[in-house]
């Protein structure tokens, strides 16, 4: 299951969310925390959070997005409705 999800990480987000919704919460928690353990440990955003349910809720909503050098994600002082966690770059 873990290999399948890593291989198909670029699947349609709606399909992924539907798949996650069908899993028991404990299975989902173990799966996502295992899949993203390196990412979680490298993100300052998660550094001080010991609440695995919070981390799980964030992981479920993550959507991969590729951006390129000089891409503008948002401007200083702009009110935004999304947050970006940088995995690499």
């Amino acid at each position: 299951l873990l290999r399948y999800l890593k291989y198909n990480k670029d699947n349609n987000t709606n399909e992924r969310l539907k798949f996650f919704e069908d899993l028991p919460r404990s299975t989902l928690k173990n799966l996502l925390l295992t899949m993203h353990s390196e990412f979680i440990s490298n993100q300052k955003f998660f550094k001080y959070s010991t609440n695995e349910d919070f981390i799980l809720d964030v992981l479920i909503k993550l959507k991969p997005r590729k951006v390129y050098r000089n891409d503008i994600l948002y401007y200083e002082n702009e009110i935004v409705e999304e947050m970006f966690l940088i995995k690499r770059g």
Side-chain angles (χ1 to χ4, degrees), residues 1-11 16 19-20 30-39 64 87:
L1 182 59
L2 187 58
R3 267 188 289 171
Y4 171 80
L5 287 173
K6 282 185 177 183
Y7 180 77
N8 291 303
K9 67 181 179 181
D10 295 326
N11 275 352
R16 284 181 35 229
F19 173 79
F20 290 152
N30 290 331
L31 179 65
L32 289 179
L33 291 176
T34 301
M35 277 179 65
H36 299 291
S37 61
E38 184 179 339
F39 177 72
K87 183 174 184 178

Side-chain angles (χ1 to χ4, degrees), residues 43-75:
Q43 290 294 321
K44 289 181 183 180
F45 179 76
F46 297 117
K47 186 174 184 174
Y48 300 105
S49 179
T50 57
N51 185 332
E52 288 184 343
D53 287 323
F54 168 75
I55 295 171
L56 178 62
D57 289 339
V58 172
L59 290 176
I60 290 171
K61 293 176 173 82
L62 286 179
K63 297 179 213 169
R65 181 173 173 184
K66 191 174 218 172
V67 294
Y68 300 94
R69 183 181 302 248
N70 298 323
D71 281 357
I72 298 171
L73 301 177
Y74 53 87
Y75 295 96

Side-chain angles (χ1 to χ4, degrees), residues 11-23:
N11 275 352
N12 180 314
T13 302
N14 291 332
E15 287 178 25
R16 284 181 35 229
L17 288 175
K18 176 70 175 128
F19 173 79
F20 290 152
E21 287 172 1
D22 292 342
L23 288 176

